[in-house]
Coordinates of all heavy atoms in Angstrom, one line a residue:
M1 N 0.8 -1.2 0.0 CA 0.0 0.0 0.0 C 0.9 1.2 0.0 O 1.8 1.4 0.8 CB -0.9 0.0 1.2 CG -1.7 1.2 1.3 SD -2.8 1.1 2.8 CE -4.2 1.8 2.1
I2 N 0.6 2.1 -0.9 CA 1.4 3.4 -1.0 C 0.7 4.4 -0.1 O -0.5 4.6 -0.1 CB 1.3 3.9 -2.5 CG1 1.9 2.8 -3.4 CG2 2.0 5.2 -2.6 CD1 1.9 3.2 -4.8
K3 N 1.6 5.0 0.7 CA 1.2 6.1 1.7 C 1.1 7.4 1.0 O 2.1 7.7 0.2 CB 2.1 6.1 2.9 CG 2.0 4.9 3.7 CD 2.9 5.0 5.0 CE 2.8 3.8 5.8 NZ 3.7 3.9 7.0
P4 N 0.0 8.1 1.2 CA -0.1 9.5 0.5 C 1.0 10.4 1.0 O 1.5 10.3 2.2 CB -1.4 10.0 0.9 CG -2.1 8.9 1.6 CD -1.1 7.8 2.0
T5 N 1.5 11.2 0.2 CA 2.5 12.2 0.6 C 2.0 13.6 0.7 O 2.7 14.5 1.0 CB 3.7 12.2 -0.5 OG1 3.1 12.5 -1.8 CG2 4.4 10.9 -0.5
K6 N 0.7 13.8 0.4 CA 0.1 15.1 0.5 C -1.4 14.9 0.8 O -2.0 14.0 0.4 CB 0.2 15.7 -0.9 CG -0.1 17.2 -0.9 CD 0.3 17.8 -2.3 CE -0.1 19.3 -2.3 NZ 0.2 19.9 -3.6
L7 N -1.8 15.9 1.6 CA -3.3 15.9 2.0 C -4.1 16.2 0.8 O -3.7 16.9 -0.1 CB -3.5 17.0 3.1 CG -3.0 16.7 4.5 CD1 -3.3 17.9 5.4 CD2 -3.5 15.4 5.1
Q8 N -5.3 15.8 0.9 CA -6.3 16.2 -0.1 C -6.6 17.7 0.1 O -6.4 18.3 1.2 CB -7.6 15.4 0.0 CG -7.4 14.0 -0.3 CD -8.8 13.2 -0.3 OE1 -9.8 13.8 -0.2 NE2 -8.7 11.9 -0.2
E9 N -6.9 18.4 -1.0 CA -7.2 19.8 -0.9 C -8.2 20.2 0.1 O -8.1 21.2 0.8 CB -7.6 20.3 -2.4 CG -7.3 21.7 -2.7 CD -5.8 22.2 -2.3 OE1 -4.9 21.5 -2.7 OE2 -5.8 23.3 -1.7
T10 N -9.3 19.4 0.2 CA -10.4 19.7 1.2 C -9.9 19.5 2.6 O -10.3 20.3 3.5 CB -11.6 18.7 0.9 OG1 -11.2 17.4 1.0 CG2 -12.3 19.0 -0.4
E11 N -9.1 18.5 2.8 CA -8.5 18.3 4.2 C -7.6 19.5 4.6 O -7.6 20.0 5.7 CB -7.7 17.0 4.2 CG -8.7 15.8 4.1 CD -7.8 14.5 3.8 OE1 -6.7 14.5 3.3 OE2 -8.4 13.4 4.3
L12 N -6.8 19.9 3.6 CA -5.9 21.0 3.9 C -6.7 22.3 4.2 O -6.4 23.1 5.1 CB -4.9 21.2 2.7 CG -3.9 22.4 2.8 CD1 -3.0 22.2 4.0 CD2 -3.1 22.5 1.5
Q13 N -7.7 22.5 3.4 CA -8.6 23.7 3.6 C -9.3 23.6 5.0 O -9.4 24.7 5.7 CB -9.6 23.8 2.5 CG -10.4 25.1 2.5 CD -9.5 26.3 2.5 OE1 -8.7 26.4 1.6 NE2 -9.7 27.3 3.4
E14 N -9.7 22.4 5.4 CA -10.3 22.3 6.7 C -9.3 22.7 7.8 O -9.6 23.4 8.8 CB -10.8 20.9 7.0 CG -12.1 20.5 6.3 CD -12.5 19.1 6.7 OE1 -13.2 19.0 7.8 OE2 -12.2 18.2 5.9
L15 N -8.0 22.2 7.7 CA -7.0 22.6 8.7 C -6.8 24.1 8.7 O -6.6 24.7 9.7 CB -5.7 21.8 8.4 CG -5.7 20.3 8.7 CD1 -4.4 19.7 8.2 CD2 -5.9 20.1 10.2
K16 N -6.7 24.7 7.5 CA -6.5 26.1 7.4 C -7.7 26.9 8.1 O -7.5 27.9 8.7 CB -6.3 26.6 6.0 CG -5.0 26.1 5.4 CD -4.9 26.6 3.9 CE -3.6 26.2 3.3 NZ -3.5 26.6 1.9
D17 N -8.9 26.4 7.8 CA -10.1 27.0 8.4 C -10.0 27.0 9.9 O -10.3 27.9 10.6 CB -11.4 26.4 7.9 CG -11.6 26.7 6.5 OD1 -11.0 27.6 5.9 OD2 -12.5 26.0 5.9
F18 N -9.7 25.8 10.5 CA -9.5 25.7 11.9 C -8.5 26.6 12.5 O -8.6 27.2 13.6 CB -9.2 24.2 12.4 CG -10.3 23.3 12.3 CD1 -10.2 22.0 11.6 CD2 -11.5 23.5 12.9 CE1 -11.2 21.1 11.5 CE2 -12.6 22.7 12.8 CZ -12.4 21.5 12.1
Q19 N -7.4 26.7 11.8 CA -6.3 27.7 12.2 C -6.8 29.1 12.2 O -6.6 29.8 13.1 CB -5.1 27.5 11.2 CG -3.9 28.4 11.6 CD -3.3 28.0 13.0 OE1 -3.3 26.8 13.3 NE2 -2.8 28.9 13.7
T20 N -7.5 29.5 11.2 CA -8.1 30.9 11.1 C -9.1 31.1 12.2 O -9.1 32.1 12.8 CB -8.8 31.1 9.7 OG1 -7.8 30.9 8.7 CG2 -9.4 32.5 9.6
Q21 N -10.0 30.1 12.5 CA -10.9 30.3 13.5 C -10.3 30.4 14.9 O -10.7 31.2 15.7 CB -11.9 29.1 13.5 CG -12.8 29.0 12.4 CD -13.6 27.7 12.2 OE1 -13.5 26.8 13.1 NE2 -14.5 27.6 11.3
S22 N -9.2 29.6 15.1 CA -8.5 29.7 16.3 C -7.8 31.0 16.5 O -7.9 31.6 17.6 CB -7.4 28.6 16.4 OG -8.0 27.3 16.5
E23 N -7.2 31.5 15.5 CA -6.6 32.8 15.5 C -7.5 33.9 15.8 O -7.3 34.9 16.6 CB -5.8 33.1 14.3 CG -4.5 32.3 14.1 CD -3.9 32.3 12.7 OE1 -4.4 33.0 11.9 OE2 -2.8 31.7 12.6
T24 N -8.7 33.9 15.2 CA -9.8 34.8 15.4 C -10.2 34.8 16.8 O -10.4 35.8 17.5 CB -11.0 34.6 14.4 OG1 -10.5 34.7 13.1 CG2 -12.1 35.6 14.6
L25 N -10.4 33.6 17.3 CA -10.9 33.4 18.7 C -9.9 33.9 19.7 O -10.3 34.7 20.7 CB -11.2 32.0 19.0 CG -11.7 31.6 20.4 CD1 -13.0 32.3 20.7 CD2 -11.9 30.1 20.5
I26 N -8.6 33.7 19.5 CA -7.6 34.2 20.4 C -7.6 35.7 20.4 O -7.4 36.3 21.4 CB -6.2 33.6 20.0 CG1 -6.2 32.1 20.3 CG2 -5.1 34.3 20.6 CD1 -5.0 31.4 19.7
A27 N -7.7 36.3 19.2 CA -7.7 37.8 19.1 C -8.9 38.3 19.8 O -8.8 39.3 20.6 CB -7.7 38.2 17.6
Q28 N -10.1 37.7 19.7 CA -11.3 38.2 20.4 C -11.1 38.0 21.9 O -11.6 38.9 22.7 CB -12.5 37.4 19.9 CG -12.9 37.8 18.5 CD -14.0 36.9 17.9 OE1 -14.3 35.8 18.4 NE2 -14.7 37.4 16.9
L29 N -10.5 37.0 22.4 CA -10.3 36.8 23.8 C -9.4 37.9 24.3 O -9.6 38.4 25.4 CB -9.7 35.4 24.1 CG -10.8 34.3 24.0 CD1 -10.0 32.9 24.0 CD2 -11.8 34.4 25.1
G30 N -8.4 38.2 23.5 CA -7.5 39.3 23.9 C -8.2 40.6 24.0 O -8.0 41.4 24.9
Q31 N -9.1 40.9 23.0 CA -9.8 42.2 23.1 C -10.8 42.2 24.3 O -10.9 43.2 24.9 CB -10.6 42.3 21.8 CG -9.8 42.6 20.6 CD -10.6 42.6 19.3 OE1 -11.7 42.2 19.2 NE2 -9.9 43.0 18.2
L32 N -11.4 41.0 24.6 CA -12.2 40.9 25.7 C -11.5 41.2 27.0 O -12.0 41.9 27.9 CB -13.0 39.6 25.7 CG -14.0 39.4 26.8 CD1 -15.1 40.4 26.7 CD2 -14.5 37.9 26.8
G33 N -10.3 40.6 27.1 CA -9.5 40.8 28.3 C -9.1 42.3 28.5 O -9.2 42.8 29.6
F34 N -8.8 43.0 27.4 CA -8.5 44.4 27.4 C -9.7 45.2 27.9 O -9.6 46.1 28.7 CB -8.0 44.8 26.0 CG -7.5 46.3 26.0 CD1 -6.4 46.7 26.6 CD2 -8.3 47.2 25.4 CE1 -6.0 48.0 26.6 CE2 -7.9 48.5 25.3 CZ -6.7 48.9 25.9
K35 N -10.9 44.9 27.3 CA -12.1 45.6 27.7 C -12.3 45.4 29.2 O -12.8 46.3 29.9 CB -13.3 45.1 26.8 CG -13.2 45.6 25.4 CD -14.4 45.0 24.6 CE -14.4 45.4 23.2 NZ -15.5 44.9 22.4
K36 N -12.1 44.2 29.6 CA -12.4 43.8 31.0 C -11.5 44.7 31.9 O -11.9 45.3 32.9 CB -12.1 42.4 31.3 CG -12.3 41.9 32.7 CD -12.1 40.5 32.9 CE -12.3 40.1 34.3 NZ -11.9 38.7 34.6
L37 N -10.2 44.9 31.5 CA -9.3 45.7 32.3 C -9.8 47.2 32.3 O -9.7 47.8 33.3 CB -7.9 45.6 31.7 CG -7.1 44.3 31.9 CD1 -5.8 44.4 31.2 CD2 -6.8 44.2 33.4
Q38 N -10.2 47.6 31.2 CA -10.8 49.0 31.1 C -12.0 49.2 32.0 O -12.1 50.2 32.7 CB -11.1 49.4 29.7 CG -9.9 49.6 28.8 CD -10.4 49.9 27.3 OE1 -11.3 49.2 26.8 NE2 -9.7 50.9 26.7
L39 N -12.9 48.2 32.0 CA -14.0 48.3 32.9 C -13.7 48.2 34.3 O -14.3 49.0 35.1 CB -15.0 47.1 32.5 CG -15.8 47.3 31.2 CD1 -16.6 46.0 30.9 CD2 -16.7 48.5 31.2
E40 N -12.7 47.4 34.7 CA -12.2 47.3 36.1 C -11.7 48.6 36.5 O -11.9 49.1 37.6 CB -11.3 46.2 36.2 CG -11.9 44.8 36.2 CD -10.9 43.7 36.1 OE1 -9.7 44.0 36.1 OE2 -11.3 42.5 36.2
R41 N -10.9 49.3 35.6 CA -10.3 50.6 35.9 C -11.4 51.6 36.1 O -11.4 52.4 37.0 CB -9.4 51.0 34.8 CG -8.6 52.3 35.0 CD -7.8 52.6 33.9 NE -6.4 52.6 34.4 CZ -5.3 52.7 33.7 NH1 -5.4 52.7 32.4 NH2 -4.2 52.8 34.2
E42 N -12.4 51.6 35.2 CA -13.5 52.6 35.3 C -14.3 52.3 36.6 O -14.7 53.3 37.3 CB -14.4 52.4 34.1 CG -15.5 53.5 34.0 CD -16.3 53.4 32.8 OE1 -15.9 52.7 31.8 OE2 -17.4 54.0 32.8
E43 N -14.5 51.1 36.9 CA -15.2 50.7 38.1 C -14.5 51.3 39.4 O -15.1 51.8 40.3 CB -15.5 49.2 38.3 CG -16.2 48.8 39.5 CD -16.3 47.3 39.7 OE1 -15.5 46.6 39.2 OE2 -17.2 46.9 40.4
Q44 N -13.2 51.1 39.4 CA -12.4 51.6 40.5 C -12.5 53.1 40.6 O -12.6 53.6 41.7 CB -10.9 51.1 40.3 CG -10.0 51.5 41.5 CD -8.6 51.0 41.2 OE1 -8.1 50.9 40.1 NE2 -7.9 50.7 42.3
F45 N -12.4 53.8 39.5 CA -12.5 55.2 39.5 C -13.9 55.7 40.0 O -14.0 56.6 40.9 CB -12.4 55.8 38.0 CG -12.6 57.3 37.9 CD1 -11.7 58.2 38.4 CD2 -13.8 57.7 37.3 CE1 -11.9 59.5 38.3 CE2 -14.0 59.1 37.2 CZ -13.1 60.0 37.7
L46 N -15.0 55.0 39.6 CA -16.3 55.4 40.1 C -16.5 55.1 41.6 O -17.2 55.9 42.3 CB -17.4 54.6 39.3 CG -17.5 55.0 37.8 CD1 -18.5 54.1 37.1 CD2 -17.9 56.5 37.7
K47 N -15.9 54.0 42.1 CA -15.9 53.7 43.5 C -15.2 54.8 44.3 O -15.7 55.2 45.4 CB -15.3 52.4 43.8 CG -16.2 51.2 43.4 CD -15.5 49.9 43.7 CE -16.4 48.7 43.4 NZ -15.8 47.4 43.6
Q48 N -14.1 55.3 43.7 CA -13.4 56.4 44.4 C -14.3 57.7 44.4 O -14.3 58.4 45.5 CB -12.1 56.7 43.7 CG -11.0 55.6 43.9 CD -9.8 55.8 43.0 OE1 -9.8 56.6 42.1 NE2 -8.7 55.1 43.4
Q49 N -14.9 58.0 43.3 CA -15.8 59.1 43.3 C -16.9 59.0 44.3 O -17.3 59.9 45.0 CB -16.4 59.3 41.9 CG -15.4 59.9 40.9 CD -16.1 60.3 39.6 OE1 -17.0 59.5 39.1 NE2 -15.8 61.4 39.1
Y50 N -17.5 57.8 44.4 CA -18.5 57.5 45.3 C -18.1 57.8 46.8 O -18.7 58.4 47.6 CB -19.1 56.1 45.2 CG -20.1 55.7 46.2 CD1 -21.4 56.2 46.1 CD2 -19.8 54.9 47.3 CE1 -22.4 55.9 47.0 CE2 -20.8 54.6 48.2 CZ -22.1 55.1 48.1 OH -23.1 54.7 49.0
T51 N -16.9 57.3 47.1 CA -16.3 57.5 48.4 C -16.1 59.0 48.7 O -16.4 59.4 49.8 CB -15.0 56.7 48.5 OG1 -15.2 55.3 48.3 CG2 -14.3 56.9 49.9
Q52 N -15.7 59.7 47.7 CA -15.5 61.2 47.9 C -16.9 61.8 48.1 O -17.0 62.8 48.9 CB -14.8 61.8 46.7 CG -13.4 61.4 46.5 CD -12.7 61.9 45.3 OE1 -13.4 62.3 44.3 NE2 -11.4 61.9 45.2
I53 N -17.9 61.4 47.4 CA -19.2 62.0 47.6 C -19.7 61.8 49.0 O -20.2 62.7 49.7 CB -20.2 61.5 46.5 CG1 -19.9 62.1 45.1 CG2 -21.6 61.8 46.8 CD1 -20.6 61.5 44.0
I54 N -19.6 60.5 49.4 CA -20.1 60.2 50.8 C -19.3 61.0 51.8 O -19.9 61.5 52.8 CB -19.9 58.6 51.0 CG1 -20.8 57.8 50.1 CG2 -20.2 58.3 52.5 CD1 -22.2 58.1 50.2
S55 N -18.0 61.1 51.6 CA -17.2 61.9 52.6 C -17.7 63.4 52.6 O -17.8 64.0 53.7 CB -15.7 61.8 52.2 OG -15.0 62.6 53.1
S56 N -17.8 64.0 51.4 CA -18.3 65.4 51.3 C -19.7 65.5 51.9 O -19.9 66.5 52.6 CB -18.3 65.8 49.8 OG -17.0 65.8 49.3
E57 N -20.6 64.6 51.7 CA -21.9 64.6 52.3 C -21.8 64.6 53.8 O -22.6 65.4 54.4 CB -22.7 63.5 51.7 CG -24.2 63.5 52.2 CD -25.0 62.3 51.8 OE1 -24.3 61.2 51.6 OE2 -26.2 62.4 51.6
A58 N -21.0 63.8 54.3 CA -20.9 63.6 55.8 C -20.3 65.0 56.3 O -20.8 65.4 57.4 CB -20.0 62.5 56.1
E59 N -19.4 65.6 55.6 CA -18.8 66.8 56.1 C -19.8 67.9 56.1 O -19.9 68.7 57.0 CB -17.6 67.2 55.2 CG -16.8 68.4 55.7 CD -15.7 68.7 54.7 OE1 -14.9 67.7 54.4 OE2 -15.6 69.8 54.2
L60 N -20.6 68.0 55.0 CA -21.7 69.0 54.9 C -22.7 68.8 56.0 O -23.2 69.7 56.7 CB -22.4 69.0 53.5 CG -23.5 69.9 53.4 CD1 -23.1 71.4 53.6 CD2 -24.2 69.7 52.0
S61 N -23.1 67.6 56.2 CA -24.1 67.2 57.3 C -23.6 67.7 58.7 O -24.4 68.3 59.4 CB -24.4 65.7 57.3 OG -25.3 65.4 58.3
K62 N -22.3 67.4 58.9 CA -21.7 67.9 60.2 C -21.8 69.4 60.3 O -22.2 69.9 61.4 CB -20.3 67.3 60.3 CG -19.6 67.7 61.5 CD -18.2 67.2 61.5 CE -17.5 67.6 62.8 NZ -16.0 67.2 62.8
R63 N -21.4 70.1 59.3 CA -21.4 71.6 59.3 C -22.8 72.1 59.5 O -23.0 73.0 60.3 CB -20.9 72.2 58.0 CG -19.4 72.1 57.9 CD -18.8 73.0 56.8 NE -19.6 73.3 55.7 CZ -19.5 72.8 54.4 NH1 -18.5 71.9 54.2 NH2 -20.3 73.1 53.5
L64 N -23.8 71.5 58.8 CA -25.2 72.0 59.0 C -25.7 71.7 60.4 O -26.4 72.5 61.0 CB -26.1 71.3 57.9 CG -25.9 71.8 56.5 CD1 -26.7 70.9 55.5 CD2 -26.1 73.2 56.3
K65 N -25.3 70.6 60.9 CA -25.8 70.2 62.3 C -25.2 71.1 63.3 O -25.8 71.6 64.2 CB -25.4 68.7 62.6 CG -26.0 68.3 63.9 CD -25.8 66.8 64.1 CE -26.5 66.3 65.3 NZ -26.5 64.8 65.4
E66 N -23.9 71.5 63.1 CA -23.2 72.5 64.0 C -23.9 73.8 63.9 O -24.1 74.5 64.9 CB -21.8 72.6 63.7 CG -20.9 71.4 64.0 CD -19.5 71.5 63.5 OE1 -19.1 72.5 62.8 OE2 -18.7 70.5 63.8
T67 N -24.3 74.2 62.7 CA -25.0 75.5 62.5 C -26.4 75.5 62.9 O -26.9 76.5 63.6 CB -24.9 76.0 61.1 OG1 -23.5 76.0 60.6 CG2 -25.4 77.3 60.9
Y68 N -27.2 74.5 62.6 CA -28.7 74.5 62.7 C -29.2 73.5 63.8 O -30.3 73.6 64.2 CB -29.3 74.3 61.4 CG -29.0 75.3 60.4 CD1 -28.1 75.0 59.4 CD2 -29.6 76.6 60.4 CE1 -27.8 76.0 58.4 CE2 -29.4 77.5 59.4 CZ -28.4 77.2 58.4 OH -28.1 78.1 57.4
G69 N -28.3 72.6 64.2 CA -28.8 71.6 65.1 C -29.5 70.5 64.4 O -29.3 70.3 63.1
D70 N -30.3 69.6 65.1 CA -31.0 68.6 64.4 C -32.2 69.1 63.6 O -33.1 69.7 64.2 CB -31.6 67.6 65.5 CG -30.4 66.7 66.1 OD1 -29.4 66.5 65.4 OD2 -30.5 66.4 67.2
I71 N -32.1 69.0 62.3 CA -33.1 69.5 61.4 C -33.4 68.6 60.3 O -32.7 67.6 60.0 CB -32.6 70.9 60.8 CG1 -31.3 70.7 60.0 CG2 -32.4 72.0 61.8 CD1 -30.9 71.8 59.1
S72 N -34.5 68.9 59.6 CA -34.8 68.3 58.3 C -34.9 69.4 57.3 O -35.3 70.5 57.6 CB -36.2 67.6 58.4 OG -36.1 66.5 59.3
I73 N -34.4 69.1 56.1 CA -34.4 70.1 55.1 C -35.2 69.7 53.8 O -35.0 68.6 53.4 CB -32.9 70.4 54.6 CG1 -32.1 70.8 55.8 CG2 -32.9 71.5 53.5 CD1 -30.6 70.9 55.5
D74 N -36.1 70.6 53.4 CA -36.8 70.3 52.1 C -35.9 70.7 51.0 O -35.5 71.9 50.8 CB -38.1 71.1 52.1 CG -38.9 70.9 50.8 OD1 -38.3 70.5 49.7 OD2 -40.1 71.0 50.9
L75 N -35.4 69.7 50.3 CA -34.4 70.0 49.2 C -34.9 70.8 48.0 O -34.1 71.5 47.3 CB -33.7 68.7 48.7 CG -32.9 67.9 49.7 CD1 -32.4 66.6 49.1 CD2 -31.7 68.8 50.2
K76 N -36.2 70.9 47.9 CA -36.8 71.7 46.8 C -36.8 73.1 47.2 O -36.6 74.0 46.3 CB -38.2 71.2 46.5 CG -38.2 69.8 45.8 CD -39.7 69.4 45.5 CE -39.7 68.0 44.9 NZ -41.0 67.6 44.5
T77 N -37.1 73.4 48.4 CA -37.3 74.8 48.8 C -36.2 75.3 49.7 O -36.0 76.5 49.9 CB -38.6 75.0 49.6 OG1 -38.6 74.2 50.8 CG2 -39.8 74.6 48.7
G78 N -35.5 74.4 50.4 CA -34.5 74.8 51.3 C -35.0 75.1 52.7 O -34.3 75.6 53.6
E79 N -36.4 74.9 52.9 CA -37.0 75.2 54.2 C -36.5 74.2 55.2 O -36.3 73.0 54.9 CB -38.4 75.1 54.1 CG -39.1 76.3 53.3 CD -40.6 76.3 53.3 OE1 -41.1 75.9 54.4 OE2 -41.2 76.6 52.3
I80 N -36.3 74.7 56.5 CA -35.8 73.9 57.5 C -36.9 73.6 58.5 O -37.7 74.5 58.8 CB -34.7 74.7 58.3 CG1 -33.5 75.0 57.4 CG2 -34.3 74.0 59.6 CD1 -32.5 75.9 58.0
T81 N -36.9 72.4 58.9 CA -37.9 71.9 59.9 C -37.1 71.4 61.1 O -36.2 70.5 61.0 CB -38.8 70.8 59.4 OG1 -39.5 71.2 58.2 CG2 -39.8 70.4 60.5
Y82 N -37.2 72.1 62.3 CA -36.5 71.7 63.5 C -37.2 70.5 64.1 O -38.4 70.4 64.2 CB -36.4 72.9 64.4 CG -35.5 73.9 63.9 CD1 -36.0 75.0 63.2 CD2 -34.1 73.9 64.2 CE1 -35.2 76.0 62.6 CE2 -33.3 74.9 63.7 CZ -33.8 75.9 62.9 OH -33.0 76.9 62.4
S83 N -36.3 69.6 64.6 CA -36.8 68.4 65.3 C -37.3 68.7 66.7 O -36.9 69.5 67.3 CB -35.7 67.3 65.3 OG -35.3 67.0 64.0

């Protein structure tokens, strides 16, 4: 029996197609990883902003309490209701 020395054209094309699909998938996974890093960085930034807002809110609340005591404020009108 004579052993073939070359693949059939269809077999070679299938192998090339698998290679192309693998390369495409690897590239997409790399892009996804990069996007994930960007999202994680953005999430970290937003968490820092949230922490700053909470801190500023607490500071303002403390100042208002020192000035006005225990109060409720209507945010639409600015009217104060004393407790």
Side-chain angles (χ1 to χ4, degrees):
M1 174 178 222
I2 300 175
K3 293 184 180 180
T5 58
K6 192 172 181 182
L7 290 177
Q8 291 181 17
E9 208 46 51
T10 56
E11 295 169 329
L12 181 58
Q13 188 58 49
E14 280 184 86
L15 287 173
K16 287 179 181 180
D17 290 346
F18 284 132
Q19 182 67 32
T20 300
Q21 290 171 358
S22 293
E23 290 170 357
T24 301
L25 182 60
I26 289 168
Q28 289 173 338
L29 285 169
Q31 289 173 352
L32 183 61
F34 183 72
K35 287 178 185 178
K36 182 179 175 184
L37 288 175
Q38 287 178 316
L39 287 172
E40 288 171 355
R41 182 181 241 172
E42 186 176 347
E43 179 184 26
Q44 185 178 30
F45 174 75
L46 292 173
K47 284 180 179 180
Q48 288 172 346
Q49 283 189 319
Y50 176 73
T51 301
Q52 289 174 345
I53 288 170
I54 296 299
S55 177
S56 296
E57 181 184 28
E59 187 179 308
L60 176 60
S61 178
K62 181 181 175 184
R63 284 195 332 252
L64 292 173
K65 188 171 186 172
E66 288 172 356
T67 303
Y68 300 100
D70 288 328
I71 59 171
S72 294
I73 302 169
D74 182 331
L75 294 178
K76 291 182 182 178
T77 64
E79 289 186 37
I80 298 171
T81 305
Y82 289 91
S83 300

